[in-house]
């Protein structure tokens, strides 16, 4: 497994992003990783029709300079959070990229390699539910790196239990193997769950095979029998007091439905659960 030594944290300095920054700090602290903060900015259109090329370049340079000053003025917000979290030993670097959030992340990833992306996501009710975390979903579809999505209502606490949803595919087992050393750094357990409409011996054989392969007390594998997969997983999250739900990105329809539910008030335990998405 590649160690997670570089974390990318995009921010617009909103309350949602600042809340997610606390998670990014704690992830960097526990993983022993560098933390890189990315701020995206957009420039107004400067018409070529009314300016000479030289003056147009000067105007654009001036606009970029103003955006940079605005960015510098906002950075103390994060520095206060570093101090409040007693994380003064973590020294974030600050990146600045023109474009939308999604395009700025894409540009940054083309210049540097990162092992994890941490992003805040908005709530999911009414109008917002239809367009839930569109930036997050677009980033999720674009990147190869694991993406930790922090809903607005999540409040950081010591991570003691990772939830892991599985359909017992080999890619799930490989992801679980990657997650075990991470969980160990947090001194946390991994509560894995598979939902099936009915019991059968093959499922029990698969559980035994996985347990024999993993050979660890860190992972506990549960079988839940239900015809309502999403609801069963959410109930498992609440009853097991999961701190972060880990998923392998797969079938778009079900994945999106479960992802949205995890980000929303359908999860009442601690008012929304962070979701850590690994690519299939």
């Amino acid at each position: 497994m590649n160690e997670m030594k570089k974390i990318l944290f995009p921010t617009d300095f909103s309350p949602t992003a600042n809340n997610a920054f606390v998670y990014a700090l704690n992830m960097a602290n526990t993983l022993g990783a560098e933390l890189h903060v990315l701020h995206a900015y957009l420039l107004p259109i400067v018409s070529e029709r009314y300016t000479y090329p030289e003056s147009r370049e000067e105007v654009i340079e001036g606009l970029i300079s103003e955006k940079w000053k605005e960015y510098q003025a906002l950075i103390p917000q994060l520095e206060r959070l570093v101090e409040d979290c007693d994380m003064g030993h973590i020294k974030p670097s600050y990146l600045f990229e023109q474009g939308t959030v999604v395009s700025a992340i894409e540009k940054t990833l083309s210049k540097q390699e990162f092992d994890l992306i941490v992003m805040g996501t908005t709530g999911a009710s009414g109008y917002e539910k239809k367009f839930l975390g569109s930036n997050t979903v677009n980033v999720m579809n674009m990147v190869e790196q694991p993406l930790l999505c922090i809903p607005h209502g999540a409040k950081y606490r010591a991570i003691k239990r990772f939830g892991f949803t599985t359909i017992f595919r080999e890619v799930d087992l490989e992801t679980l193997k990657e997650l075990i050393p991470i969980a160990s750094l947090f001194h946390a357990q991994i509560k894995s769950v598979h939902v099936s409409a009915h019991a059968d011996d093959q499922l029990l054989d698969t559980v035994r095979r996985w347990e024999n392969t993993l050979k660890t007390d860190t992972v506990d594998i549960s079988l839940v029998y239900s015809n309502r997969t999403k609801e069963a997983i959410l109930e498992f999250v609440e009853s097991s007091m999961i701190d972060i739900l880990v998923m392998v990105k797969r079938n778009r329809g079900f994945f999106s439905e479960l992802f949205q539910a995890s980000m929303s008030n359908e999860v009442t335990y601690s008012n929304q659960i962070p979701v850590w998405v690994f690519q299939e």
Side-chain angles (χ1 to χ4, degrees):
M1 156 188 145
N2 293 326
E3 291 184 289
M4 293 191 173
K5 291 302 182 185
K6 287 183 70 176
I7 297 173
L8 180 63
F9 175 71
T11 183
D12 60 359
F13 296 94
S14 65
T16 295
N18 287 349
N19 179 59
F21 183 66
V22 176
Y23 277 84
L25 276 174
N26 280 276
M27 295 299 289
N29 182 55
T30 302
L31 297 173
E34 299 173 5
L35 180 56
H36 299 259
V37 176
L38 171 65
H39 181 60
Y41 67 95
L42 293 171
L43 294 178
I45 296 173
V46 180
S47 174
E48 296 181 10
R49 186 175 177 182
Y50 300 107
T51 57
Y52 292 105
E54 296 81 1
S55 61
R56 181 173 181 273
E57 288 179 7
E58 290 176 1
V59 170
I60 291 173
E61 287 177 4
L63 291 170
I64 293 173
S65 176
E66 287 302 311
K67 292 291 184 180
W68 174 251
K69 289 177 184 176
E70 291 172 8
Y71 183 27
Q72 293 295 301
L74 291 168
I75 287 174
Q77 288 185 29
L78 302 186
E79 292 175 341
R80 284 191 292 272
L81 287 172
V82 170
E83 185 177 337
D84 291 344
C85 294
D86 196 23
M87 296 281 182
H89 56 286
I90 294 178
K91 307 296 183 185
S93 71
Y94 294 95
L95 310 176
F96 187 60
E97 195 70 64
Q98 183 179 350
T100 64
V101 172
V102 177
S103 66
I105 291 173
E106 187 174 23
K107 290 177 189 176
T108 302
L109 294 177
S110 71
K111 298 174 184 177
Q112 297 187 52
E113 291 186 2
F114 289 90
D115 306 303
L116 171 64
I117 302 170
V118 180
M119 287 185 70
T121 66
T122 56
S125 60
Y127 179 83
E128 285 185 334
K129 187 166 186 177
K130 185 176 179 182
F131 299 99
L132 168 72
S134 58
N135 282 331
T136 305
V137 172
N138 288 336
V139 171
M140 191 186 306
N141 290 332
M142 176 186 69
V143 303
E144 297 178 357
Q145 293 84 352
L147 177 64
L148 179 56
C149 312
I150 312 299
H152 178 76
K155 299 302 176 188
Y156 185 83
R157 58 179 177 270
I159 298 167
K160 296 300 181 186
R161 288 165 293 274
F162 290 96
F164 182 76
T165 64
T166 180
I167 55 174
F168 289 136
R169 292 175 60 183
E170 286 304 307
V171 67
D172 293 359
L173 182 58
E174 293 306 311
T175 302
L176 196 50
K177 289 177 182 177
E178 290 188 32
L179 189 59
I180 289 170
I182 295 171
S184 296
L185 290 173
F186 285 92
H187 305 289
Q189 289 291 114
I190 301 171
K191 303 288 187 179
S192 181
V193 60
H194 173 84
V195 180
S196 176
H198 51 80
D200 65 58
D201 291 339
Q202 186 176 353
L203 281 177
L204 295 174
D205 288 343
T206 301
V207 171
R208 283 191 287 268
R209 179 172 64 84
W210 277 36
E211 288 174 340
N212 289 333
T213 300
L214 296 171
K215 291 184 173 63
T216 177
D217 294 329
T218 300
V219 180
D220 177 68
I221 303 173
S222 297
L223 297 176
V224 175
Y225 301 110
S226 174
N227 290 314
R228 302 163 67 227
T229 303
K230 183 191 77 173
E231 290 78 7
I233 291 173
L234 296 181
E235 288 172 9
F236 178 85
V237 165
E238 297 201 26
S239 64
S240 300
M241 300 181 69
I242 298 302
D243 298 307
I244 292 179
L245 181 61
V246 181
M247 302 180 188
V248 177
K249 184 173 178 288
R250 53 171 65 92
N251 178 281
R252 173 173 285 186
F254 175 73
F255 174 84
S256 298
E257 186 179 359
L258 182 57
F259 177 78
Q260 290 185 17
S262 303
M263 294 284 113
S264 75
N265 288 329
E266 291 183 53
V267 177
T268 57
Y269 168 64
S270 196
N271 196 21
Q272 303 176 24
I273 298 297
V275 175
W276 196 345
V277 181
F278 284 74
Q279 299 297 330
E280 192 171 27

